[in-house]
Amino acid sequence: MQKRRALWVIVPLLLVITLFALFACCCPGNRPRAAPPGPLTTIPPIGTANLAVPTEAVPARETETQMRNVLFHIDRTAAMHIHDLRGQMFDKEAGKPLNFDDKRTFIVRVFHGHIGVDGETLTALLNRYVFDYSGAPLKDLVVTIENGHLVQEGIMHKIIDIPFRMIADVSATPEGWIRLHPTKIEICNLNGAALMKAFGISLQKVLTKLPPGVRVEKNDTLIDPLGILPPPKIEGRLTEVMIEGNELMQVFDDGRGVAPLQPPVASAPNYMYFRNGTLRMGKLFMVTADMDVIDTDPSDPFDFFVDDYNAQLVAGYNRNRPDYGLNVYMRDYEDLGKPLRPGERVAP
């Protein structure tokens, strides 16, 4: 009997203790708290970034640009070597987006920069674009750079075809043209300067029917370095020209002292950086542009051809940045369809 009474006392007591323990465990105030999760990424959550509707979308503003160590193709085989350039790009029609799919529609404005052109590209420019018309006074031109001078060889047409060779010094005129001053002229392997003096003539009298962007003063040939280029149209003010290595180096400076841009990938040796304005590339419109275009092979200049930019895009890859900008890695134009080079970047 005493044992039964003890059980009746102990059992309810155990039930009370058990219920109390369960209550204590379930009570939120006593539950152990886990540490709050840390941020998973530095990318702002969608909807929280300060991305106001940009007023530059319509109408579009100019796109600021900066380039370094870029071979900017004129056509498939000829290219200008942009050592450095700070400028703007914009559509010829005010307010329209910059359209990479039609180089005839936009303008590149150079604030300051250094642009080199080698003999092969000069040869292509003169034969394919400058003197490529019926009745041109010069044809079959070959330009080389030798011992700090520009050397031109070809055919001079004046009633009959006359082979010539001219060695010239280069300089810039006050209005921003390139002056070629001959130090030696050979006509049919003879002393051309002596022949012209004997007959009282000069290149100015011989070379007529000249194209736009070219004129002759006595024996000096003057060339508008930007006026002779095919699209896209380039604007700028040439202040200096000299021979550096195997290039005719052109220095541009409009005197405004525009500050350089700060590209997102500061370590890239070769790039084209575009900021602000609206860019159109195929079906893609990038508003308030912030695009850093880098070549996948940093060991040589960035070989870029706007006519085939989409093929270069397809062969490369891109990465969005936390600030909603875009890093685009393109293969060099000359590397398209070829095996990867040692050390070339590939998509992770």
Side-chain angles (χ1 to χ4, degrees), residues 110-147:
V110 180
F111 295 143
H112 52 81
H114 295 75
I115 301 177
V117 187
D118 62 15
E120 183 178 351
T121 293
L122 285 169
T123 298
L125 267 172
L126 293 175
N127 287 311
R128 297 177 196 167
Y129 304 101
V130 180
F131 293 105
D132 184 28
Y133 58 94
S134 177
L138 300 174
K139 63 180 182 180
D140 299 336
L141 294 169
V142 176
V143 180
T144 55
I145 294 173
E146 300 176 9
N147 301 319

PDB file of all heavy atoms in Angstrom, residues 110-147:
ATOM      1  N   VAL A 110      39.136  62.282 -81.097  1.00  0.00           N
ATOM      2  CA  VAL A 110      40.359  62.072 -80.326  1.00  0.00           C
ATOM      3  C   VAL A 110      40.696  63.346 -79.553  1.00  0.00           C
ATOM      4  O   VAL A 110      40.916  64.399 -80.149  1.00  0.00           O
ATOM      5  CB  VAL A 110      41.539  61.687 -81.250  1.00  0.00           C
ATOM      6  CG1 VAL A 110      42.796  61.464 -80.423  1.00  0.00           C
ATOM      7  CG2 VAL A 110      41.202  60.446 -82.065  1.00  0.00           C
ATOM      8  N   PHE A 111      40.704  63.249 -78.219  1.00  0.00           N
ATOM      9  CA  PHE A 111      41.150  64.375 -77.394  1.00  0.00           C
ATOM     10  C   PHE A 111      42.678  64.429 -77.383  1.00  0.00           C
ATOM     11  O   PHE A 111      43.274  65.473 -77.603  1.00  0.00           O
ATOM     12  CB  PHE A 111      40.633  64.240 -75.963  1.00  0.00           C
ATOM     13  CG  PHE A 111      39.136  64.334 -75.847  1.00  0.00           C
ATOM     14  CD1 PHE A 111      38.451  63.552 -74.942  1.00  0.00           C
ATOM     15  CD2 PHE A 111      38.407  65.201 -76.645  1.00  0.00           C
ATOM     16  CE1 PHE A 111      37.074  63.641 -74.814  1.00  0.00           C
ATOM     17  CE2 PHE A 111      37.038  65.294 -76.543  1.00  0.00           C
ATOM     18  CZ  PHE A 111      36.363  64.512 -75.616  1.00  0.00           C
ATOM     19  N   HIS A 112      43.284  63.282 -77.090  1.00  0.00           N
ATOM     20  CA  HIS A 112      44.741  63.189 -77.180  1.00  0.00           C
ATOM     21  C   HIS A 112      45.116  61.719 -77.338  1.00  0.00           C
ATOM     22  O   HIS A 112      44.368  60.823 -76.925  1.00  0.00           O
ATOM     23  CB  HIS A 112      45.436  63.812 -75.956  1.00  0.00           C
ATOM     24  CG  HIS A 112      44.937  63.314 -74.634  1.00  0.00           C
ATOM     25  ND1 HIS A 112      45.351  62.121 -74.077  1.00  0.00           N
ATOM     26  CD2 HIS A 112      44.059  63.848 -73.757  1.00  0.00           C
ATOM     27  CE1 HIS A 112      44.747  61.951 -72.909  1.00  0.00           C
ATOM     28  NE2 HIS A 112      43.950  62.967 -72.685  1.00  0.00           N
ATOM     29  N   GLY A 113      46.260  61.493 -77.987  1.00  0.00           N
ATOM     30  CA  GLY A 113      46.671  60.117 -78.202  1.00  0.00           C
ATOM     31  C   GLY A 113      47.884  60.007 -79.104  1.00  0.00           C
ATOM     32  O   GLY A 113      48.334  60.989 -79.708  1.00  0.00           O
ATOM     33  N   HIS A 114      48.404  58.776 -79.183  1.00  0.00           N
ATOM     34  CA  HIS A 114      49.532  58.444 -80.048  1.00  0.00           C
ATOM     35  C   HIS A 114      49.099  57.281 -80.937  1.00  0.00           C
ATOM     36  O   HIS A 114      48.734  56.209 -80.436  1.00  0.00           O
ATOM     37  CB  HIS A 114      50.753  58.030 -79.218  1.00  0.00           C
ATOM     38  CG  HIS A 114      51.316  59.130 -78.374  1.00  0.00           C
ATOM     39  ND1 HIS A 114      50.704  59.570 -77.210  1.00  0.00           N
ATOM     40  CD2 HIS A 114      52.443  59.885 -78.525  1.00  0.00           C
ATOM     41  CE1 HIS A 114      51.425  60.545 -76.687  1.00  0.00           C
ATOM     42  NE2 HIS A 114      52.484  60.753 -77.452  1.00  0.00           N
ATOM     43  N   ILE A 115      49.154  57.507 -82.253  1.00  0.00           N
ATOM     44  CA  ILE A 115      48.714  56.501 -83.210  1.00  0.00           C
ATOM     45  C   ILE A 115      49.836  56.266 -84.212  1.00  0.00           C
ATOM     46  O   ILE A 115      50.277  57.203 -84.895  1.00  0.00           O
ATOM     47  CB  ILE A 115      47.434  56.929 -83.935  1.00  0.00           C
ATOM     48  CG1 ILE A 115      46.307  57.178 -82.927  1.00  0.00           C
ATOM     49  CG2 ILE A 115      47.020  55.873 -84.953  1.00  0.00           C
ATOM     50  CD1 ILE A 115      45.018  57.684 -83.543  1.00  0.00           C
ATOM     51  N   GLY A 116      50.292  55.017 -84.310  1.00  0.00           N
ATOM     52  CA  GLY A 116      51.360  54.668 -85.235  1.00  0.00           C
ATOM     53  C   GLY A 116      50.824  53.932 -86.454  1.00  0.00           C
ATOM     54  O   GLY A 116      49.853  53.180 -86.371  1.00  0.00           O
ATOM     55  N   VAL A 117      51.476  54.168 -87.589  1.00  0.00           N
ATOM     56  CA  VAL A 117      51.108  53.499 -88.841  1.00  0.00           C
ATOM     57  C   VAL A 117      52.388  52.988 -89.484  1.00  0.00           C
ATOM     58  O   VAL A 117      53.336  53.756 -89.692  1.00  0.00           O
ATOM     59  CB  VAL A 117      50.370  54.449 -89.800  1.00  0.00           C
ATOM     60  CG1 VAL A 117      49.861  53.687 -91.020  1.00  0.00           C
ATOM     61  CG2 VAL A 117      49.221  55.164 -89.106  1.00  0.00           C
ATOM     62  N   ASP A 118      52.434  51.704 -89.801  1.00  0.00           N
ATOM     63  CA  ASP A 118      53.642  51.158 -90.419  1.00  0.00           C
ATOM     64  C   ASP A 118      53.567  51.267 -91.940  1.00  0.00           C
ATOM     65  O   ASP A 118      52.550  51.690 -92.517  1.00  0.00           O
ATOM     66  CB  ASP A 118      53.880  49.711 -89.976  1.00  0.00           C
ATOM     67  CG  ASP A 118      52.761  48.757 -90.382  1.00  0.00           C
ATOM     68  OD1 ASP A 118      51.933  49.111 -91.248  1.00  0.00           O
ATOM     69  OD2 ASP A 118      52.713  47.641 -89.833  1.00  0.00           O
ATOM     70  N   GLY A 119      54.650  50.878 -92.599  1.00  0.00           N
ATOM     71  CA  GLY A 119      54.719  51.012 -94.052  1.00  0.00           C
ATOM     72  C   GLY A 119      53.680  50.185 -94.781  1.00  0.00           C
ATOM     73  O   GLY A 119      53.116  50.619 -95.796  1.00  0.00           O
ATOM     74  N   GLU A 120      53.381  49.001 -94.273  1.00  0.00           N
ATOM     75  CA  GLU A 120      52.393  48.134 -94.915  1.00  0.00           C
ATOM     76  C   GLU A 120      51.008  48.775 -94.903  1.00  0.00           C
ATOM     77  O   GLU A 120      50.288  48.746 -95.910  1.00  0.00           O
ATOM     78  CB  GLU A 120      52.359  46.781 -94.203  1.00  0.00           C
ATOM     79  CG  GLU A 120      51.424  45.772 -94.839  1.00  0.00           C
ATOM     80  CD  GLU A 120      51.449  44.433 -94.127  1.00  0.00           C
ATOM     81  OE1 GLU A 120      52.312  44.236 -93.241  1.00  0.00           O
ATOM     82  OE2 GLU A 120      50.596  43.585 -94.444  1.00  0.00           O
ATOM     83  N   THR A 121      50.648  49.382 -93.779  1.00  0.00           N
ATOM     84  CA  THR A 121      49.345  50.035 -93.703  1.00  0.00           C
ATOM     85  C   THR A 121      49.315  51.300 -94.542  1.00  0.00           C
ATOM     86  O   THR A 121      48.305  51.599 -95.199  1.00  0.00           O
ATOM     87  CB  THR A 121      49.004  50.346 -92.234  1.00  0.00           C
ATOM     88  OG1 THR A 121      48.822  49.112 -91.533  1.00  0.00           O
ATOM     89  CG2 THR A 121      47.728  51.168 -92.122  1.00  0.00           C
ATOM     90  N   LEU A 122      50.396  52.071 -94.553  1.00  0.00           N
ATOM     91  CA  LEU A 122      50.460  53.252 -95.417  1.00  0.00           C
ATOM     92  C   LEU A 122      50.315  52.863 -96.883  1.00  0.00           C
ATOM     93  O   LEU A 122      49.628  53.542 -97.658  1.00  0.00           O
ATOM     94  CB  LEU A 122      51.775  53.990 -95.184  1.00  0.00           C
ATOM     95  CG  LEU A 122      51.881  54.807 -93.895  1.00  0.00           C
ATOM     96  CD1 LEU A 122      53.324  55.249 -93.668  1.00  0.00           C
ATOM     97  CD2 LEU A 122      50.953  56.014 -93.934  1.00  0.00           C
ATOM     98  N   THR A 123      50.959  51.777 -97.271  1.00  0.00           N
ATOM     99  CA  THR A 123      50.846  51.290 -98.646  1.00  0.00           C
ATOM    100  C   THR A 123      49.400  50.953 -98.986  1.00  0.00           C
ATOM    101  O   THR A 123      48.876  51.329-100.049  1.00  0.00           O
ATOM    102  CB  THR A 123      51.734  50.044 -98.842  1.00  0.00           C
ATOM    103  OG1 THR A 123      53.103  50.407 -98.622  1.00  0.00           O
ATOM    104  CG2 THR A 123      51.585  49.477-100.246  1.00  0.00           C
ATOM    105  N   ALA A 124      48.728  50.242 -98.075  1.00  0.00           N
ATOM    106  CA  ALA A 124      47.326  49.876 -98.300  1.00  0.00           C
ATOM    107  C   ALA A 124      46.442  51.119 -98.383  1.00  0.00           C
ATOM    108  O   ALA A 124      45.555  51.218 -99.250  1.00  0.00           O
ATOM    109  CB  ALA A 124      46.852  48.951 -97.188  1.00  0.00           C
ATOM    110  N   LEU A 125      46.656  52.071 -97.476  1.00  0.00           N
ATOM    111  CA  LEU A 125      45.850  53.292 -97.470  1.00  0.00           C
ATOM    112  C   LEU A 125      45.951  54.042 -98.801  1.00  0.00           C
ATOM    113  O   LEU A 125      44.933  54.428 -99.394  1.00  0.00           O
ATOM    114  CB  LEU A 125      46.314  54.204 -96.342  1.00  0.00           C
ATOM    115  CG  LEU A 125      45.609  54.092 -94.992  1.00  0.00           C
ATOM    116  CD1 LEU A 125      46.334  54.937 -93.958  1.00  0.00           C
ATOM    117  CD2 LEU A 125      44.166  54.516 -95.107  1.00  0.00           C
ATOM    118  N   LEU A 126      47.180  54.229 -99.263  1.00  0.00           N
ATOM    119  CA  LEU A 126      47.382  55.021-100.478  1.00  0.00           C
ATOM    120  C   LEU A 126      46.824  54.314-101.710  1.00  0.00           C
ATOM    121  O   LEU A 126      46.192  54.947-102.564  1.00  0.00           O
ATOM    122  CB  LEU A 126      48.866  55.323-100.655  1.00  0.00           C
ATOM    123  CG  LEU A 126      49.488  56.246 -99.595  1.00  0.00           C
ATOM    124  CD1 LEU A 126      50.986  56.370 -99.805  1.00  0.00           C
ATOM    125  CD2 LEU A 126      48.825  57.621 -99.601  1.00  0.00           C
ATOM    126  N   ASN A 127      47.036  53.010-101.818  1.00  0.00           N
ATOM    127  CA  ASN A 127      46.597  52.293-103.015  1.00  0.00           C
ATOM    128  C   ASN A 127      45.101  51.981-103.023  1.00  0.00           C
ATOM    129  O   ASN A 127      44.452  52.054-104.071  1.00  0.00           O
ATOM    130  CB  ASN A 127      47.386  50.992-103.167  1.00  0.00           C
ATOM    131  CG  ASN A 127      48.819  51.217-103.600  1.00  0.00           C
ATOM    132  OD1 ASN A 127      49.090  51.940-104.554  1.00  0.00           O
ATOM    133  ND2 ASN A 127      49.765  50.630-102.884  1.00  0.00           N
ATOM    134  N   ARG A 128      44.543  51.628-101.849  1.00  0.00           N
ATOM    135  CA  ARG A 128      43.149  51.173-101.805  1.00  0.00           C
ATOM    136  C   ARG A 128      42.150  52.303-101.617  1.00  0.00           C
ATOM    137  O   ARG A 128      40.987  52.172-102.011  1.00  0.00           O
ATOM    138  CB  ARG A 128      42.972  50.159-100.675  1.00  0.00           C
ATOM    139  CG  ARG A 128      43.780  48.897-100.844  1.00  0.00           C
ATOM    140  CD  ARG A 128      43.596  47.996 -99.630  1.00  0.00           C
ATOM    141  NE  ARG A 128      44.618  46.956 -99.571  1.00  0.00           N
ATOM    142  CZ  ARG A 128      44.847  46.191 -98.522  1.00  0.00           C
ATOM    143  NH1 ARG A 128      44.102  46.341 -97.422  1.00  0.00           N
ATOM    144  NH2 ARG A 128      45.800  45.278 -98.536  1.00  0.00           N
ATOM    145  N   TYR A 129      42.572  53.409-100.990  1.00  0.00           N
ATOM    146  CA  TYR A 129      41.604  54.430-100.619  1.00  0.00           C
ATOM    147  C   TYR A 129      41.934  55.825-101.153  1.00  0.00           C
ATOM    148  O   TYR A 129      41.024  56.578-101.488  1.00  0.00           O
ATOM    149  CB  TYR A 129      41.482  54.497 -99.088  1.00  0.00           C
ATOM    150  CG  TYR A 129      41.118  53.162 -98.483  1.00  0.00           C
ATOM    151  CD1 TYR A 129      42.087  52.359 -97.879  1.00  0.00           C
ATOM    152  CD2 TYR A 129      39.817  52.679 -98.544  1.00  0.00           C
ATOM    153  CE1 TYR A 129      41.760  51.125 -97.325  1.00  0.00           C
ATOM    154  CE2 TYR A 129      39.476  51.451 -98.005  1.00  0.00           C
ATOM    155  CZ  TYR A 129      40.455  50.673 -97.402  1.00  0.00           C
ATOM    156  OH  TYR A 129      40.129  49.447 -96.875  1.00  0.00           O
ATOM    157  N   VAL A 130      43.212  56.191-101.235  1.00  0.00           N
ATOM    158  CA  VAL A 130      43.560  57.558-101.613  1.00  0.00           C
ATOM    159  C   VAL A 130      43.666  57.709-103.130  1.00  0.00           C
ATOM    160  O   VAL A 130      43.023  58.581-103.726  1.00  0.00           O
ATOM    161  CB  VAL A 130      44.878  57.995-100.934  1.00  0.00           C
ATOM    162  CG1 VAL A 130      45.231  59.424-101.334  1.00  0.00           C
ATOM    163  CG2 VAL A 130      44.751  57.886 -99.416  1.00  0.00           C
ATOM    164  N   PHE A 131      44.451  56.846-103.770  1.00  0.00           N
ATOM    165  CA  PHE A 131      44.671  56.977-105.215  1.00  0.00           C
ATOM    166  C   PHE A 131      43.961  55.877-106.001  1.00  0.00           C
ATOM    167  O   PHE A 131      44.390  55.502-107.090  1.00  0.00           O
ATOM    168  CB  PHE A 131      46.182  56.954-105.511  1.00  0.00           C
ATOM    169  CG  PHE A 131      46.906  58.158-104.989  1.00  0.00           C
ATOM    170  CD1 PHE A 131      47.709  58.074-103.860  1.00  0.00           C
ATOM    171  CD2 PHE A 131      46.780  59.387-105.619  1.00  0.00           C
ATOM    172  CE1 PHE A 131      48.376  59.188-103.371  1.00  0.00           C
ATOM    173  CE2 PHE A 131      47.443  60.510-105.146  1.00  0.00           C
ATOM    174  CZ  PHE A 131      48.241  60.406-104.007  1.00  0.00           C
ATOM    175  N   ASP A 132      42.880  55.368-105.473  1.00  0.00           N
ATOM    176  CA  ASP A 132      42.122  54.312-106.139  1.00  0.00           C
ATOM    177  C   ASP A 132      40.999  54.922-106.981  1.00  0.00           C
ATOM    178  O   ASP A 132      39.806  54.789-106.683  1.00  0.00           O
ATOM    179  CB  ASP A 132      41.539  53.353-105.091  1.00  0.00           C
ATOM    180  CG  ASP A 132      40.822  52.172-105.726  1.00  0.00           C
ATOM    181  OD1 ASP A 132      41.196  51.792-106.849  1.00  0.00           O
ATOM    182  OD2 ASP A 132      39.887  51.651-105.091  1.00  0.00           O
ATOM    183  N   TYR A 133      41.368  55.617-108.044  1.00  0.00           N
ATOM    184  CA  TYR A 133      40.373  56.206-108.944  1.00  0.00           C
ATOM    185  C   TYR A 133      41.008  56.382-110.324  1.00  0.00           C
ATOM    186  O   TYR A 133      42.243  56.415-110.473  1.00  0.00           O
ATOM    187  CB  TYR A 133      39.864  57.546-108.407  1.00  0.00           C
ATOM    188  CG  TYR A 133      40.937  58.594-108.192  1.00  0.00           C
ATOM    189  CD1 TYR A 133      41.232  59.541-109.173  1.00  0.00           C
ATOM    190  CD2 TYR A 133      41.649  58.653-106.982  1.00  0.00           C
ATOM    191  CE1 TYR A 133      42.216  60.501-108.970  1.00  0.00           C
ATOM    192  CE2 TYR A 133      42.616  59.612-106.770  1.00  0.00           C
ATOM    193  CZ  TYR A 133      42.893  60.536-107.765  1.00  0.00           C
ATOM    194  OH  TYR A 133      43.870  61.482-107.564  1.00  0.00           O
ATOM    195  N   SER A 134      40.174  56.482-111.331  1.00  0.00           N
ATOM    196  CA  SER A 134      40.651  56.606-112.708  1.00  0.00           C
ATOM    197  C   SER A 134      41.380  57.932-112.894  1.00  0.00           C
ATOM    198  O   SER A 134      40.898  58.990-112.496  1.00  0.00           O
ATOM    199  CB  SER A 134      39.457  56.531-113.670  1.00  0.00           C
ATOM    200  OG  SER A 134      39.877  56.718-115.006  1.00  0.00           O
ATOM    201  N   GLY A 135      42.561  57.860-113.499  1.00  0.00           N
ATOM    202  CA  GLY A 135      43.340  59.060-113.765  1.00  0.00           C
ATOM    203  C   GLY A 135      44.181  59.524-112.598  1.00  0.00           C
ATOM    204  O   GLY A 135      44.715  60.652-112.634  1.00  0.00           O
ATOM    205  N   ALA A 136      44.320  58.702-111.576  1.00  0.00           N
ATOM    206  CA  ALA A 136      45.140  59.087-110.420  1.00  0.00           C
ATOM    207  C   ALA A 136      46.584  59.314-110.856  1.00  0.00           C
ATOM    208  O   ALA A 136      47.120  58.558-111.677  1.00  0.00           O
ATOM    209  CB  ALA A 136      45.078  58.003-109.347  1.00  0.00           C
ATOM    210  N   PRO A 137      47.269  60.331-110.322  1.00  0.00           N
ATOM    211  CA  PRO A 137      48.639  60.636-110.762  1.00  0.00           C
ATOM    212  C   PRO A 137      49.678  59.655-110.224  1.00  0.00           C
ATOM    213  O   PRO A 137      50.803  59.625-110.731  1.00  0.00           O
ATOM    214  CB  PRO A 137      48.880  62.033-110.208  1.00  0.00           C
ATOM    215  CG  PRO A 137      47.991  62.112-109.009  1.00  0.00           C
ATOM    216  CD  PRO A 137      46.774  61.306-109.343  1.00  0.00           C
ATOM    217  N   LEU A 138      49.322  58.867-109.194  1.00  0.00           N
ATOM    218  CA  LEU A 138      50.248  57.896-108.619  1.00  0.00           C
ATOM    219  C   LEU A 138      49.568  56.539-108.531  1.00  0.00           C
ATOM    220  O   LEU A 138      48.369  56.440-108.266  1.00  0.00           O
ATOM    221  CB  LEU A 138      50.696  58.339-107.218  1.00  0.00           C
ATOM    222  CG  LEU A 138      51.426  59.685-107.111  1.00  0.00           C
ATOM    223  CD1 LEU A 138      51.662  60.034-105.644  1.00  0.00           C
ATOM    224  CD2 LEU A 138      52.736  59.667-107.878  1.00  0.00           C
ATOM    225  N   LYS A 139      50.347  55.476-108.726  1.00  0.00           N
ATOM    226  CA  LYS A 139      49.801  54.129-108.602  1.00  0.00           C
ATOM    227  C   LYS A 139      50.927  53.157-108.245  1.00  0.00           C
ATOM    228  O   LYS A 139      52.115  53.501-108.318  1.00  0.00           O
ATOM    229  CB  LYS A 139      49.107  53.686-109.883  1.00  0.00           C
ATOM    230  CG  LYS A 139      50.017  53.571-111.108  1.00  0.00           C
ATOM    231  CD  LYS A 139      49.221  53.120-112.328  1.00  0.00           C
ATOM    232  CE  LYS A 139      50.123  52.941-113.552  1.00  0.00           C
ATOM    233  NZ  LYS A 139      49.360  52.497-114.744  1.00  0.00           N
ATOM    234  N   ASP A 140      50.522  51.960-107.854  1.00  0.00           N
ATOM    235  CA  ASP A 140      51.474  50.893-107.492  1.00  0.00           C
ATOM    236  C   ASP A 140      52.478  51.374-106.442  1.00  0.00           C
ATOM    237  O   ASP A 140      53.683  51.105-106.522  1.00  0.00           O
ATOM    238  CB  ASP A 140      52.213  50.382-108.731  1.00  0.00           C
ATOM    239  CG  ASP A 140      51.274  49.780-109.760  1.00  0.00           C
ATOM    240  OD1 ASP A 140      50.173  49.337-109.379  1.00  0.00           O
ATOM    241  OD2 ASP A 140      51.646  49.759-110.950  1.00  0.00           O
ATOM    242  N   LEU A 141      51.964  52.074-105.454  1.00  0.00           N
ATOM    243  CA  LEU A 141      52.844  52.658-104.435  1.00  0.00           C
ATOM    244  C   LEU A 141      53.268  51.612-103.407  1.00  0.00           C
ATOM    245  O   LEU A 141      52.507  50.729-103.041  1.00  0.00           O
ATOM    246  CB  LEU A 141      52.127  53.807-103.727  1.00  0.00           C
ATOM    247  CG  LEU A 141      51.808  55.030-104.605  1.00  0.00           C
ATOM    248  CD1 LEU A 141      50.877  55.976-103.866  1.00  0.00           C
ATOM    249  CD2 LEU A 141      53.084  55.755-104.999  1.00  0.00           C
ATOM    250  N   VAL A 142      54.497  51.748-102.953  1.00  0.00           N
ATOM    251  CA  VAL A 142      55.024  50.938-101.861  1.00  0.00           C
ATOM    252  C   VAL A 142      55.716  51.895-100.895  1.00  0.00           C
ATOM    253  O   VAL A 142      56.609  52.650-101.296  1.00  0.00           O
ATOM    254  CB  VAL A 142      56.012  49.862-102.357  1.00  0.00           C
ATOM    255  CG1 VAL A 142      56.605  49.111-101.163  1.00  0.00           C
ATOM    256  CG2 VAL A 142      55.338  48.904-103.325  1.00  0.00           C
ATOM    257  N   VAL A 143      55.295  51.860 -99.635  1.00  0.00           N
ATOM    258  CA  VAL A 143      55.868  52.747 -98.635  1.00  0.00           C
ATOM    259  C   VAL A 143      56.623  51.912 -97.602  1.00  0.00           C
ATOM    260  O   VAL A 143      56.110  50.907 -97.100  1.00  0.00           O
ATOM    261  CB  VAL A 143      54.769  53.570 -97.924  1.00  0.00           C
ATOM    262  CG1 VAL A 143      55.389  54.502 -96.879  1.00  0.00           C
ATOM    263  CG2 VAL A 143      53.970  54.374 -98.943  1.00  0.00           C
ATOM    264  N   THR A 144      57.828  52.326 -97.308  1.00  0.00           N
ATOM    265  CA  THR A 144      58.627  51.683 -96.266  1.00  0.00           C
ATOM    266  C   THR A 144      59.230  52.764 -95.370  1.00  0.00           C
ATOM    267  O   THR A 144      59.216  53.952 -95.715  1.00  0.00           O
ATOM    268  CB  THR A 144      59.754  50.825 -96.861  1.00  0.00           C
ATOM    269  OG1 THR A 144      60.552  51.640 -97.746  1.00  0.00           O
ATOM    270  CG2 THR A 144      59.200  49.643 -97.650  1.00  0.00           C
ATOM    271  N   ILE A 145      59.723  52.341 -94.229  1.00  0.00           N
ATOM    272  CA  ILE A 145      60.397  53.257 -93.307  1.00  0.00           C
ATOM    273  C   ILE A 145      61.824  52.779 -93.133  1.00  0.00           C
ATOM    274  O   ILE A 145      62.061  51.638 -92.719  1.00  0.00           O
ATOM    275  CB  ILE A 145      59.653  53.316 -91.961  1.00  0.00           C
ATOM    276  CG1 ILE A 145      58.264  53.947 -92.168  1.00  0.00           C
ATOM    277  CG2 ILE A 145      60.452  54.100 -90.931  1.00  0.00           C
ATOM    278  CD1 ILE A 145      57.374  53.919 -90.954  1.00  0.00           C
ATOM    279  N   GLU A 146      62.764  53.644 -93.479  1.00  0.00           N
ATOM    280  CA  GLU A 146      64.170  53.263 -93.478  1.00  0.00           C
ATOM    281  C   GLU A 146      65.006  54.380 -92.855  1.00  0.00           C
ATOM    282  O   GLU A 146      64.938  55.533 -93.288  1.00  0.00           O
ATOM    283  CB  GLU A 146      64.668  52.993 -94.912  1.00  0.00           C
ATOM    284  CG  GLU A 146      63.928  51.870 -95.630  1.00  0.00           C
ATOM    285  CD  GLU A 146      64.390  51.700 -97.069  1.00  0.00           C
ATOM    286  OE1 GLU A 146      65.403  52.347 -97.448  1.00  0.00           O
ATOM    287  OE2 GLU A 146      63.740  50.952 -97.821  1.00  0.00           O
ATOM    288  N   ASN A 147      65.769  54.029 -91.843  1.00  0.00           N
ATOM    289  CA  ASN A 147      66.733  54.957 -91.231  1.00  0.00           C
ATOM    290  C   ASN A 147      66.112  56.297 -90.849  1.00  0.00           C
ATOM    291  O   ASN A 147      66.686  57.366 -91.078  1.00  0.00           O
ATOM    292  CB  ASN A 147      67.914  55.189 -92.191  1.00  0.00           C
ATOM    293  CG  ASN A 147      68.630  53.906 -92.540  1.00  0.00           C
ATOM    294  OD1 ASN A 147      68.848  53.051 -91.685  1.00  0.00           O
ATOM    295  ND2 ASN A 147      68.976  53.757 -93.809  1.00  0.00           N
TER     296      ASN A 147
END
